[in-house]
Amino acid sequence: MFRTALRNVLAHKARLMMTVLAVMLGVAFVSGTLVFTNTLSRAFENSSAQGFDGVDVAVRAKHQAASGDRVGSTPDLTPALLAKAQKVPGAASATGVVSGFTALADKHGKLVGDGWQSMGGNYWGTKDPRYKLVSGHAPHGRGELLIDSETARRTGYGVGDTVRLSVDGPVLTPRVAGVFTTDDGNVAAGGSLTLFDTPTAQTLLGKKGTYDEIDVTAAPGTSQSALKAALDKALPAGQVSTTTGEKLAADQAEQISESMSGMRQALLVFAGIALFVGTFIIANTFTMLVAQRTKELALLRAVGASRGQVTRSVLTEALAVGTVAGVAGLAAGVGIGAGLRALLHSFGASVPDGPLVVTPGTVVAALAVGIVITVLAAWLPGRRAAKIPPVAAMSSVHATATTRSLVVRNTIGILFAAAGAAVVFAATTMNTDTGQGAMGLGAVLLITGVFVLTPLLSRPLIAAAAPLLRLFGVSGRLARQNAVRNPRRTAATASALMIGLTLITGMTVMAGSLQKSIDKMAADSIRADYVVSMANHTPLSPDVATKLAAADGVSASSPLRNGASRIGGETEFLTGVTGSAIGELTDLKVKQGTFDVSGTRIVVDADRAKEQGWKAGSKLTAHFEDGKQATLTVAGVYEGNEMIQGIMIDDKVLTPHLRAPADMQVLVRTADGASDAAKDRLAKALGSNPAIQVQDKQDITDGIAKIFTLMLNLVYGLLGMAVVVAVLGVINTLAMSVFERSQEIGMLRAIGLERGSVKRMVRLESLVISLFGGVLGIGLGVFFGWAAGELLGARMATYEVVLPWSRLALFLLLAALVGVLAALWPARRAARLNVLGAIKAE
C-alpha cells in the first residue's frame, strides 16, 4: 500500500502540482514572517547591546509616588551625586547623561528623522565612551554641535556647515564641529542624534545643572554586580535606582522583541488566513483526486485492502506532498524575509546590518505547517473513500450525496451561522475591551456556518445568473449546469475567494467609517483654524503660545497646558486654557451648566464627571505641584471626545503652581480664517521652526487618513497572498474538473461543439464560481465592517457607517478578474482535448 501511494503521487504530478504550490505559498508566508521579524529583532538587539558596551551600571532617578495630597515628583540627578558615584570603590569613571528631543532641519528645511527619533544629548569630551569622533573636534558653547555619521551621510552636512535646529525654543543656527559614530537604535531606525557640550545640552534640554542618567564604568577586575552593590550602598536608596549594563541590554532586547511582536502577530494572522484558504483548496483537491480514483480504490478493497489501509494510502500521499511543499515553502520564506528587509531599505527605513536569522523554530514551524495542514485536509476525503463499499464504488452508486447527509450538513450550517450572527450582534453592545473576543468568536462561527451552507446557497445564487448566461447560448447553459453539478466542490472553490474578500471588505468599511467620524469630530468640536504642536508630540515651550497670541492676524488663541494635581486623594491632570478664548476656539456640547472657565470655575468632560460623581455646582479641593491648594467649582459638564477631554481650568490659576509649564497644543483662530498665507505667517512668527507643526483641520484629518491608508495598503498587500492562493484553487478545481469530464467534453465536441465554445463554457463556469464567492465575501465583509465599527466607534459620538460603493464595485470586478484569469489554462486544455481519446476515457 505504501508503494501504491507513492506511485499515485508520481502518477498524478500535474494534478498535485497546484496543491503543492498552494501549501508552499502558505508555508512561505509563515516562514518568511518568522525569518523577517527574527532578523529585524536580532539586528536591533545586537545594535542596542553594542550601545551599552560602555555602561556597566546606570544610575537613574526614582520617581516618588503620589500620596495623600502630595503630587508625585522625580528628584534631580545632581553633580554632587555624580561626584559621589565617581568615588565609589570599583568605579573607573562616571558620565552624566543628558538627552531629549532635538529637531534638526535638512538643507531643505524639513525635519530629519521621524519625530521622536530626532534626539539630542551631551558630549562628555574626547574620552566619551559612548561616541567615537571620526572628524572635527568636540563642541563648545551654543554655537557648535556634533552630528552622527548616518545623519551626515543622509543630509550632506559636513564639518564647518551651519545647520538649523530647535529644541522647544527659538531656532538655533550652530556650526557642525564634528561627526561621530554611534550604535544608537534610533539612528539605526532612520532618526538623528545631535550632541552639545554638557552645559549647553543641560540648558537647551531643560535639565540645567542636572542629568537624566549617570553611567558608571567598572575598574578592571570589578564585576557589574559588585559595582552595582557598591553604588547601592553609597547612593541614597530612596532617590535613585541602579541597573547593570547587562540588565539594560536584556531589557532593551525584550522591549524590541515586544515591539516586534505586534508586527509578527499581524503578519502571522495573514499567513494563517492564507493557510486557511489553502486548506479548502487542499481538501477540495484530495476530494476530487479520491473521487477520480474511486474504482481503483474499490479494486484495492476487493483484493483485500482494509479501510484503514485505503485511508493510510491517501494520507501517505498527503504526507509526501506536504513534506515537499514544506521544504520548498521554507526556502521561499527565506527569500521573502530577505526581500522584506530590502523593501524596508527601499522605503528609506534604515535597518541595522546583520545576517538573515533562520532559527530551528522557524524550520520546525514551516515543516509542521506544511505537513500537518496537508495531512489534516486529506484525512476526511480518504476516510470517506474508505467507507464506500467496493461494489458500490465500481458502479458509481455512491456518486450522489444522500438526502440525509444534506439535511444534516444544512442543519449544522444554519446552527453555526445563527450562533455566529447572534454573538456578533451581542458583541456590538459590549465595551471595546470585552467585545473584541466575542466579536472574533462570532466571526469564526458565522464564516464556518456560511461555508457549510455554501452548497445550499450556490444553487439559488448561481441560478440568478441564468438569464445572463443564456446570452452565451449553449456554452452559457452548460457552464451553469457544470457550476451547480457538484455544489460541494463549487462551495469549497468559492469559499477560498470568499474569505479573502470578506477581510478586505470589512477592513475597508471600518476604516472609511472611522475616517468619516474623525473628520466630523474635528469639524464639530474645534472652531480654531489651526492647532500648533511639536512634531514628536512632546510638550511645547510656553513661549510658543505667547508668540502666537502676538502674531499678526490672530484673533484668539489658547494653550492646552498640562498640570498634575491631587483631588480627593487621586491624581487628576488639569488642562490650563485661556478662559476668555477657549469658548471661541471649541464647539463642545454642554450637557450640564455652562461652559465657563474663569477664575476657579472649571469644566469637566462627561465621562470623568460620571466616574467621580461630579456635576455642575460641585466643589473640589485641588492640591497642586507646589503644595498649595485651591477650591474649584464645576461650572459645566461637556461631551468630550478623543481630541478634547479632561478638566479645563484657567491657565492664570494653574500656571503659578507649575514648576515647568509646558503645553501639549495651542489652538489658534485668525481673523481671516484658514489660508496658506495665514499658515505661513504663523510659521514665520515661530521662526520657521522644524520642531513645530502648524496644522489646520484638513491637515489633522489627512494625517489620520495616512495612517488608515497605510494600514489598508498593508492589509491589501498581505491579503493578496490569500487571493493568489484562491486563484490557484479555482485553477486547480477547473483543471481537475476538465480531466474528470474528459469523456463528456469529447462527446460535446463529437456532436458539433466548437473549440471556442468549449473554452467559453469553462471560462463562464469559472466566472460564475468566482462571482459567487465574491458576492458572499463582500456581503459578509460589509456585515463584519459594520459590526467592528459599531464596537470600536462606541466611544465616538460622531461615528456612522459609510459604505464605499466604488471600492465594493472594484472588489466585485476583482472577483470576476480572478475567474477570468483562473480559467485561461483549464479552458485551453479542455479545447485541445483529442475527441476520440476523450470519448474513450474512463
Side-chain angles (χ1 to χ4, degrees):
M1 292 300 294
F2 181 75
R3 288 195 299 271
T4 301
L6 293 181
R7 189 188 68 238
N8 285 329
V9 172
L10 297 176
H12 302 299
K13 292 189 291 290
R15 284 180 283 169
L16 287 173
M17 186 58 67
M18 291 294 180
T19 305
V20 171
L21 194 55
V23 180
M24 187 195 76
L25 281 173
V27 173
F29 206 173
V30 171
S31 56
T33 296
L34 294 175
V35 168
F36 172 63
T37 53
N38 287 337
T39 297
L40 221 57
S41 295
R42 183 74 58 83
F44 279 113
E45 286 169 14
N46 291 341
S47 176
S48 64
Q50 291 171 2
F52 292 114
D53 284 346
V55 181
D56 288 314
V57 178
V59 180
R60 294 170 176 169
K62 184 183 292 184
H63 181 72
Q64 308 297 305
S67 62
D69 297 329
R70 184 175 62 83
V71 176
S73 61
T74 302
D76 294 327
L77 296 180
T78 62
L81 279 174
L82 174 65
K84 187 176 289 188
Q86 285 177 321
K87 297 176 182 178
V88 167
S93 64
T95 303
V97 178
V98 182
S99 62
F101 172 64
T102 302
L104 176 69
D106 61 19
K107 292 184 176 181
H108 304 288
K110 302 296 184 182
L111 179 67
V112 177
D114 297 324
W116 61 271
Q117 294 176 326
S118 300
M119 301 297 293
N122 67 315
Y123 186 68
W124 199 249
T126 54
K127 294 183 180 180
D128 193 323
R130 300 168 297 167
Y131 313 111
K132 181 181 179 182
L133 202 61
V134 295
S135 63
H137 59 82
H140 300 287
R142 295 171 68 97
E144 292 185 341
L145 85 167
L146 302 180
I147 61 174
D148 67 87
S149 55
E150 278 299 304
T151 297
R153 181 185 62 81
R154 288 194 295 263
T155 60
Y157 286 136
V159 176
D161 289 342
T162 298
V163 299
R164 297 179 71 253
L165 85 154
S166 173
V167 181
D168 64 354
V171 175
L172 305 176
T173 54
R175 184 176 61 86
V176 177
V179 176
F180 63 94
T181 58
T182 177
D183 294 313
D184 188 284
N186 285 332
V187 174
S192 66
L193 180 61
T194 55
L195 302 178
F196 308 88
D197 62 30
T198 298
T200 302
Q202 289 174 323
T203 301
L204 292 177
L205 299 173
K207 311 289 177 13
K208 195 166 184 178
T210 64
Y211 308 104
D212 293 302
E213 180 176 303
I214 297 173
D215 292 341
V216 186
T217 57
T222 303
S223 67
Q224 290 188 356
S225 57
L227 179 59
K228 179 181 184 302
L231 287 166
D232 287 339
K233 185 177 180 180
L235 302 180
Q239 296 182 29
V240 300
S241 63
T242 59
T243 311
T244 63
E246 294 172 353
K247 181 69 165 56
L248 287 172
D251 291 344
Q252 183 87 345
E254 185 178 348
Q255 289 175 7
I256 291 171
S257 180
E258 288 178 359
S259 66
M260 295 295 295
S261 67
M263 179 189 294
R264 185 186 292 114
Q265 289 173 4
L267 291 172
L268 285 175
V269 164
F270 291 107
I273 292 167
L275 280 174
F276 189 50
V277 172
T279 301
F280 290 127
I281 298 166
I282 299 165
N284 200 24
T285 299
F286 275 96
T287 300
M288 296 175 70
L289 286 174
V290 170
Q292 290 170 9
R293 290 167 38 217
T294 298
K295 290 186 178 181
E296 175 190 330
L297 295 176
L299 183 60
L300 289 174
R301 290 288 313 283
V303 297
S306 66
R307 287 185 179 182
Q309 286 178 312
V310 170
T311 303
R312 286 194 293 274
S313 172
V314 175
L315 293 181
T316 301
E317 294 180 43
L319 179 64
V321 171
T323 302
V324 172
V327 172
L330 176 61
V334 174
I336 289 174
L340 287 173
R341 187 170 67 170
L343 190 63
L344 282 181
H345 282 291
S346 69
F347 286 160
S350 298
V351 179
D353 293 330
L356 281 175
V357 178
V358 183
T359 63
T362 299
V363 175
V364 171
L367 295 179
V369 164
I371 294 170
V372 172
I373 291 293
T374 307
V375 170
L376 287 178
W379 175 75
L380 187 59
R383 183 172 176 272
R384 188 184 298 130
K387 292 174 67 176
I388 300 171
V391 175
M394 289 180 180
S395 60
S396 298
V397 174
H398 67 285
T400 306
T402 63
T403 303
R404 181 174 176 274
S405 69
L406 292 174
V407 170
V408 171
R409 179 187 179 108
N410 293 338
T411 302
I412 293 173
I414 291 171
L415 290 175
F416 268 84
V423 173
V424 170
F425 275 116
T428 61
T429 63
M430 302 178 184
N431 61 51
T432 305
D433 296 329
T434 59
Q436 290 180 5
M439 183 74 70
L441 174 63
V444 171
L445 290 175
L446 181 54
I447 289 177
T448 303
V450 171
F451 171 69
V452 174
L453 286 172
T454 305
L456 178 66
L457 298 172
S458 65
R459 289 186 178 275
L461 288 178
I462 292 176
L468 186 62
L469 291 174
R470 289 196 192 102
L471 299 176
F472 296 94
V474 174
S475 298
R477 288 196 295 274
L478 289 173
R480 184 183 67 82
Q481 292 170 4
N482 290 334
V484 297
R485 175 185 297 180
N486 192 330
R488 289 184 177 179
R489 181 194 305 163
T490 298
T493 306
S495 295
L497 189 60
M498 175 192 78
I499 293 170
L501 283 177
T502 295
L503 293 165
I504 291 175
T505 304
M507 287 294 295
T508 302
V509 170
M510 186 172 64
S513 300
L514 286 172
Q515 181 61 49
K516 180 71 173 179
S517 68
I518 290 169
D519 290 347
K520 194 170 187 297
M521 183 189 301
D524 290 351
S525 61
I526 299 177
R527 288 180 182 171
D529 296 315
Y530 297 100
V531 177
V532 179
S533 62
M534 291 288 282
N536 68 333
H537 306 292
T538 55
L540 286 160
S541 166
D543 293 341
V544 173
T546 303
K547 289 180 180 179
L548 288 171
D552 291 340
V554 172
S555 60
S557 67
S558 172
L560 299 182
R561 181 166 298 168
N562 280 358
S565 69
R566 297 282 287 176
I567 300 177
E570 295 183 14
T571 299
E572 295 285 354
F573 288 93
L574 307 176
T575 302
V577 298
T578 303
S580 59
I582 191 65
E584 186 180 345
L585 297 166
T586 60
D587 189 14
L588 299 166
K589 181 180 178 182
V590 179
K591 303 186 75 172
Q592 289 182 31
T594 60
F595 198 85
D596 179 11
V597 185
S598 60
T600 57
R601 296 172 67 80
I602 62 173
V603 293
V604 185
D605 70 87
D607 290 340
R608 188 69 51 83
K610 181 179 180 181
E611 181 183 331
Q612 299 294 341
W614 299 336
K615 58 185 179 180
S618 295
K619 302 285 186 180
L620 315 174
T621 300
H623 299 266
F624 300 104
E625 289 181 2
D626 59 357
K628 297 181 180 180
Q629 65 182 53
T631 300
L632 308 177
T633 303
V634 177
V637 177
Y638 67 92
E639 191 173 284
N641 54 51
E642 280 70 15
M643 291 188 173
I644 299 179
Q645 58 184 317
I647 304 171
M648 292 190 195
I649 183 173
D650 196 316
D651 65 344
K652 293 178 182 177
V653 176
L654 177 65
T655 301
H657 301 290
L658 301 180
R659 286 192 289 268
D663 304 328
M664 292 308 298
Q665 296 175 329
V666 179
L667 304 181
V668 180
R669 191 169 189 178
T670 57
D672 300 328
S675 66
D676 291 339
K679 191 173 184 179
D680 289 341
R681 282 200 306 271
L682 293 179
K684 288 179 181 177
L686 298 173
S688 300
N689 195 322
I692 301 175
Q693 57 185 7
V694 180
Q695 297 178 300
D696 58 22
K697 294 178 188 178
Q698 192 60 49
D699 292 331
I700 295 172
T701 56
D702 286 348
I704 298 171
K706 285 181 181 178
I707 298 174
F708 285 130
T709 301
L710 181 63
M711 289 173 55
L712 278 179
N713 289 339
L714 180 63
V715 169
Y716 291 159
L718 293 173
L719 288 178
M721 180 68 74
V723 173
V724 169
V725 176
V727 171
L728 290 174
V730 178
I731 295 173
N732 205 10
T733 300
L734 290 173
M736 300 185 78
S737 179
V738 167
F739 178 84
E740 189 180 80
R741 303 201 313 259
S742 295
Q743 188 178 54
E744 174 189 322
I745 293 171
M747 290 295 295
L748 290 172
R749 290 288 314 284
I751 62 175
L753 193 66
E754 298 177 349
R755 285 188 175 183
S757 297
V758 171
K759 285 184 179 179
R760 193 178 304 115
M761 175 187 72
V762 176
R763 288 170 183 164
L764 289 173
E765 179 183 351
S766 175
L767 183 63
V768 166
I769 292 174
S770 297
L771 285 175
F772 169 55
V775 169
L776 286 181
I778 291 171
L780 282 174
V782 169
F783 175 70
F784 287 135
W786 165 81
E790 286 292 308
L791 179 63
L792 297 176
R795 299 176 182 175
M796 302 175 69
T798 56
Y799 181 81
E800 60 180 271
V801 178
V802 176
L803 293 182
W805 294 107
S806 59
R807 288 281 181 97
L808 299 183
L810 182 63
F811 295 157
L812 196 59
L813 286 175
L814 174 65
L817 182 62
V818 166
V820 172
L821 294 177
L824 293 178
W825 178 61
R828 185 169 178 269
R829 182 182 177 188
R832 296 182 65 183
L833 284 175
N834 181 279
V835 177
L836 295 179
I839 291 174
K840 290 190 296 180
E842 293 187 4

